[in-house]
Amino acid sequence: MTDRDDSQLPMSGEWSGLRELDQAMADNRLTAYTWKKAWADPWGKFGFIVFGLLFTAFVLFVAIYDGLI
């Protein structure tokens, strides 16, 4: 396998949006890229917040129900 530097290759207009994703995959930071993109999306941010609140409420419910608090 050879390491290629594709940063100098011209990109066509329809694939230019994938350059950031391709670079993230090459740098092995795809998870960070995915989380940042999801947090930047208004619905994604809403989903993260709702999930966090529901998870916290569930943990508190279990702790109270079991008499831990």
Side-chain angles (χ1 to χ4, degrees), residues 10-52:
M11 297 291 289
S12 66
E14 62 182 318
W15 294 104
S16 62
L18 296 177
R19 181 182 294 264
E20 185 179 354
L21 178 61
D22 184 48
Q23 187 62 39
M25 290 173 62
D27 293 345
N28 198 18
R29 56 180 176 88
L30 188 57
T31 302
Y33 171 81
T34 304
W35 283 88
K36 287 179 185 177
K37 284 294 194 181
W39 185 254
D41 177 38
W43 285 107
K45 189 180 292 188
F46 176 76
F48 282 136
I49 292 170
V50 168
F51 177 78

